[in-house]
């Protein structure tokens, strides 16, 4: 099992770890700061630096089939480290931070558009959500204004854990119909944006909404009779 360090602190850019296993599909470490692809957020990239100074490029991160191990996929042709080797794992932080900003902005978007979410994706300083918004006419400028107003509140983003039973007793917490919160481990991670949003989520977020930077609504597309895809784009750097 890989200890997911990113879950308690999404701001870790570097961490030491031990190679536990070398699987054909990736390197398994005892602990990692690399977020594995899931919940609409892509897997992290970065590098593993060995004691002799050699660098292994990580091109993607995914969960193993049991979702307990996390696999770091190396660039093609990389030499493989030996099990037991010590590595310094270093994130492609520019990329990850853009995703943290985009991911947190999508939480705010669910507060601006309080409709069931049927899909979504986190990109690099951009993202999209699909809403079952029915016949409601969505206005780009109005959505952007509301979104930027929430960003401007610089609200604190925090997390806490609740039991599966507590979640089952509060089904209203689940806004995303396509991505079921991971239950079965007995507890579920809740992300709260102070005074704005509360929902189960396993992704990586910024600490305060002000870090998201300026947002625009890049497009609204019809995905079905009652379904709309809303794309947002963020300024390349935080405000
Ligand atoms: Zn989230």
């Amino acid at each position: 099992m890989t200890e997911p360090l990113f879950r308690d602190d999404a701001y870790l850019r570097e961490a030491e770890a031990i190679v536990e296993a070398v699987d054909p599909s990736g390197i398994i470490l005892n602990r990692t700061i690399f977020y594995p692809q899931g919940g609409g957020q892509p897997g992290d990239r970065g590098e593993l630096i060995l004691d002799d100074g050699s660098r292994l490029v990580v091109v993607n991160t995914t969960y193993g089939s049991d979702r307990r191990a996390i696999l770091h996929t190396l660039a093609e042709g990389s030499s493989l480290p030996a099990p037991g080797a010590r590595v310094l794992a270093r994130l492609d932080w520019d990329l990850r931070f853009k995703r943290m900003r985009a991911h947190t902005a999508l939480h705010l978007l669910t507060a601006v558009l309080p409709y069931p979410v049927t899909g979504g994706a986190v990109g690099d300083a951009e993202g999209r959500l699909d809403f079952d918004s029915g016949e409601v006419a969505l206005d780009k400028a109005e959505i952007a204004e509301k979104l930027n107003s929430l960003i401007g509140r610089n609200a604190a983003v925090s997390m806490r854990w609740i039991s599966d039973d507590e979640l089952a007793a509060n089904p209203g917490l689940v806004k995303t119909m396509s991505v079921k919160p991971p239950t079965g481990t007995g507890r579920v991670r809740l992300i709260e944006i102070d005074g704005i949003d509360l929902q189960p989520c396993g992704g990586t977020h910024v600490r305060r909404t002000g870090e998201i930077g300026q947002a625009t609504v890049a497009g609204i597309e019809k995905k079905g009779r009652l379904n709309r895809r809303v794309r947002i784009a963020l300024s390349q750097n935080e405000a």
Side-chain angles (χ1 to χ4, degrees):
M1 166 159 189
T2 312
E3 187 191 348
L5 300 175
F6 54 85
R7 202 156 278 158
D8 288 323
D9 186 356
Y11 284 77
L12 289 173
R13 304 179 190 201
E14 279 189 1
E16 286 187 354
I18 306 288
V19 174
E20 277 204 336
V22 179
D23 186 275
S25 46
I27 306 298
I28 300 171
L29 304 174
N30 64 331
R31 62 212 287 258
T32 192
I33 52 174
F34 283 64
Y35 179 81
Q37 186 179 323
Q41 185 173 329
D44 275 332
R45 305 205 300 234
E47 57 185 7
L48 306 178
I49 303 160
L50 294 162
D51 271 349
D52 67 4
S54 57
R55 289 159 189 268
L56 304 172
V57 175
V58 176
V59 294
N60 194 17
T61 309
T62 57
Y63 277 110
S65 50
D66 61 357
R67 284 187 71 87
R68 288 163 61 82
I70 292 173
L71 300 167
H72 304 77
T73 311
L74 299 183
E76 233 172 13
S78 299
S79 54
L80 299 175
R86 199 169 55 176
V87 298
L88 176 66
R90 183 178 288 156
L91 273 188
D92 181 337
W93 175 251
D94 284 349
L95 189 63
R96 157 69 93 69
F97 192 58
K98 283 179 180 158
R99 292 171 179 173
M100 284 162 58
R101 291 166 53 222
H103 186 129
T104 313
L106 292 180
H107 280 248
L108 296 181
L109 189 61
T110 68
V112 171
L113 298 172
Y115 309 110
V117 175
T118 58
V122 174
D124 307 335
E126 48 133 37
R128 62 173 165 81
L129 286 177
D130 298 340
F131 295 94
D132 261 339
S133 49
E135 307 284 357
V136 183
L138 302 181
D139 182 76
K140 275 201 218 177
E142 189 188 328
I143 295 168
E145 192 190 320
K146 288 181 177 169
L147 195 54
N148 283 310
S149 151
L150 295 178
I151 291 168
R153 280 203 224 168
N154 203 23
V157 182
S158 60
M159 75 160 208
R160 64 176 190 266
W161 294 89
I162 61 167
S163 69
D164 285 356
D165 294 341
E166 283 173 85
L167 182 70
N170 294 281
L173 285 173
V174 181
K175 298 181 175 182
T176 309
M177 301 191 297
S178 61
V179 185
K180 284 250 163 54
T183 58
T185 57
R187 59 178 201 162
V188 173
R189 185 176 183 250
L190 283 186
I191 297 297
E192 178 162 29
I193 305 182
D194 190 29
I196 299 171
D197 183 56
L198 177 67
Q199 59 179 296
C201 187
T204 58
H205 310 85
V206 295
R207 291 189 186 112
R208 301 198 77 93
T209 60
E211 293 179 58
I212 293 170
Q214 190 75 15
T216 54
V217 174
I220 298 176
E221 297 154 37
K222 217 172 160 165
K223 297 306 287 181
R225 198 170 65 84
L226 303 174
N227 199 265
R228 298 291 177 272
R229 172 166 291 178
V230 179
R231 295 177 180 280
I232 59 166
L234 305 178
S235 48
Q236 279 305 299
N237 300 299
E238 62 176 298

